[in-house]
């Protein structure tokens, strides 16, 4: 039996007797030790937090379960979000679980196939606009001001409350906070939530140190790095194709308070890390999830020494979300005649 993050961490969350303890089994995701990348960068305490193991295949479930629980507590019957894909998949799943209506507004042509499939399968109303995520979010904000429907983007404060449980799990698993946390940055909610989680755990005596927060935006969508919104964000990592992050201030605060950094990472470096994770570590993540690892490789190759440090990279979503990007960037299959000799020949025997 899995209790989920709302019940497990209820003393750290806005849970009261009227809050339904709903769950799809989110949280309690594996923290797996690196093999190949650890060797490459000379860091023997490198770990990956596998958030793709959540029920809908991304970290979004941690915050969505909390936001939906509070929506039900408050008597809401419908939820809505703008999304680059994973938030919509998660919202649709928790709405289906709880019998709420869900509507999601997504940028047409820029949501990975698996995520769209999930939202549709879970029965959400999926509205694709000829515009980007930032425009979709703006429209959704207007709509929730006019109609009785609950916003479940991370502007909903319960989302980040739920998401901070991932930081708790990292500390629980390691017995201490890591020295560094590497994480992709899109709308900047997750880096904000992790920092809050680490700070709260230290304040309550569950840990006695804090990590440096190392966030990475895609170069074509690097608003925080450049210090101004990007009107037309571009990146192969569609999950983080966001030009005006809602939690911009939270990300800057995490960087400043932790002595960390927020940097930009090019698409080719994201794709390199994406493949290294898949074929060197056995971890198939979606492209956006590789951005933090790409950032770690970039810093290590520039000479930053991670030996003796404990490093955690958050792998935010499953590779199965986006089969199209995977198939476009791998060598093709080999068609062989249906006989043993032909197969042996291809195998080099
Ligand atoms: C796999 O689903 O914004 O910096 O609408 O799906 O907290 O936004 C997704 C973001 C990283 C960035 N990795 O996290 C959405 C959405 C994956 C993601 C991010 C997202 P934030």
């Amino acid at each position: 039996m899995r209790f989920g993050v709302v019940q497990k961490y209820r003393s750290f969350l806005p849970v009261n007797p009227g809050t339904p303890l709903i769950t799809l089994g989110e949280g309690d995701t594996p923290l797996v030790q690196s093999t190949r990348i650890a060797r490459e960068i000379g860091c023997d305490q490198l770990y990956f937090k596998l958030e793709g193991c959540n029920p809908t295949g991304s970290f979004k479930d941690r915050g969505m379960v909390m936001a939906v629980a509070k929506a039900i507590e408050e008597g809401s019957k419908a939820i809505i979000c703008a999304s680059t894909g994973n938030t919509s998949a998660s919202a649709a799943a928790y709405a289906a679980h709880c019998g709420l209506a869900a509507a999601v507004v997504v940028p047409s042509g820029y949501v990975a196939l698996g995520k769209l499939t999930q939202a549709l399968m879970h029965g959400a109303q999926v509205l694709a606009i000829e515009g980007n995520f930032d425009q979709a979010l703006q429209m959704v904000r207007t709509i929730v001001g006019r109609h009785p429907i609950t916003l479940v983007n991370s502007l909903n404060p319960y989302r980040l409350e739920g998401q901070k449980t991932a930081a708790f799990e990292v500390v629980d698993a390691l017995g201490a906070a890591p020295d560094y946390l590497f994480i992709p940055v899109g709308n900047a909610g997750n880096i904000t939530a992790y920092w809050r989680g680490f700070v709260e755990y230290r304040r309550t005596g569950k840990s006695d140190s804090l990590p440096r927060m190392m966030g990475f935006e895609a170069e074509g969508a690097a608003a925080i790095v450049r210090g101004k919104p990007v009107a037309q964000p571009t990146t192969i990592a569609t999950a983080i194709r966001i030009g005006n992050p809602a939690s911009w201030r939270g990300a800057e605060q995490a960087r400043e308070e932790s002595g960390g950094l927020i940097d930009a990472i090019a698409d080719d470096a994201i794709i390199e890390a994406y493949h290294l994770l898949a074929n060197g570590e056995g971890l198939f993540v979606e492209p956006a999830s590789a951005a933090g690892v790409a950032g770690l490789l970039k810093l290590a190759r520039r000479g930053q020494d991670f030996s003796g440090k404990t490093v955690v990279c958050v792998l935010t979503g499953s590779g199965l979300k986006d089969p199209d990007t995977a198939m476009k960037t791998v060598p093709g299959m080999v068609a062989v005649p249906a006989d043993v000799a032909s197969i042996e020949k291809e195998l080099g025997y």
Side-chain angles (χ1 to χ4, degrees), residues 58-60 82-88 115 133 153-154 159-160 163 184-191 239-240 242 286 288-289 316-318:
S58 88
F59 71 96
K60 300 289 184 183
S83 180
T84 58
N86 279 324
T87 300
S88 68
K115 304 173 189 179
F133 168 83
N153 281 105
S154 55
R159 280 277 314 281
L160 298 192
Q163 278 177 218
V185 173
N187 214 21
N190 211 25
I191 189 171
I240 54 172
I242 295 173
E286 64 171 288
S289 303
T316 48
S318 165

Side-chain angles (χ1 to χ4, degrees), residues 52 56-58 84-86 89 109-118 235-241 267 270-271 274-275 278 283-290 316-330:
T56 76
S58 88
T84 58
N86 279 324
Y110 291 94
V111 175
L113 180 65
K115 304 173 189 179
L116 269 184
T117 309
Q118 288 176 288
T235 171
I236 193 167
T238 52
I240 54 172
R241 185 175 169 272
D267 276 6
I270 290 175
I271 293 301
Y274 174 59
H275 283 275
L283 298 171
F284 184 27
V285 301
E286 64 171 288
S289 303
T316 48
S318 165
L320 295 172
K321 296 271 191 178
D322 189 358
D324 296 310
T325 302
M327 290 303 276
K328 276 185 208 143
T329 61
V330 283

Side-chain angles (χ1 to χ4, degrees), residues 24 46 53 57 82-83 108 133 158 165 170 186 214 219 241 266 273 279 299:
L24 282 172
L46 172 60
C53 294
S83 180
S108 180
F133 168 83
Y158 303 123
T165 60
V170 168
M214 315 294 276
E219 206 162 81
R241 185 175 169 272
N279 66 34
L299 297 184

Side-chain angles (χ1 to χ4, degrees), residues 133-134 137 141 153-155 186-189 242 244-250:
F133 168 83
D134 306 285
L137 182 57
R141 290 177 79 160
N153 281 105
S154 55
L155 296 159
N187 214 21
I242 295 173
N244 191 13
S247 296
W248 190 319
R249 294 281 162 271

Side-chain angles (χ1 to χ4, degrees), residues 180 195 211-214 253-261:
Y180 293 92
W195 181 241
R212 289 182 194 274
M213 301 295 288
M214 315 294 276
Q253 203 179 332
R255 173 185 65 195
E256 279 144 33
E257 292 177 6
S258 76
L261 73 81

Side-chain angles (χ1 to χ4, degrees), residues 49 104 122 208:
K49 180 73 170 154
V104 306
H122 291 305
D208 52 18

Side-chain angles (χ1 to χ4, degrees), residues 92-149:
Y94 283 89
H97 184 65
C98 299
L100 303 181
V104 306
V105 183
V106 300
S108 180
Y110 291 94
V111 175
L113 180 65
K115 304 173 189 179
L116 269 184
T117 309
Q118 288 176 288
L120 292 165
M121 275 300 289
H122 291 305
Q125 199 172 357
V126 179
L127 308 175
I129 62 160
E130 292 301 324
N132 59 37
F133 168 83
D134 306 285
Q135 294 165 316
L137 182 57
Q138 203 51 52
M139 293 176 205
V140 165
R141 290 177 79 160
T142 304
I143 290 161
V144 299
R146 296 183 182 177
H147 306 285
I149 184 166

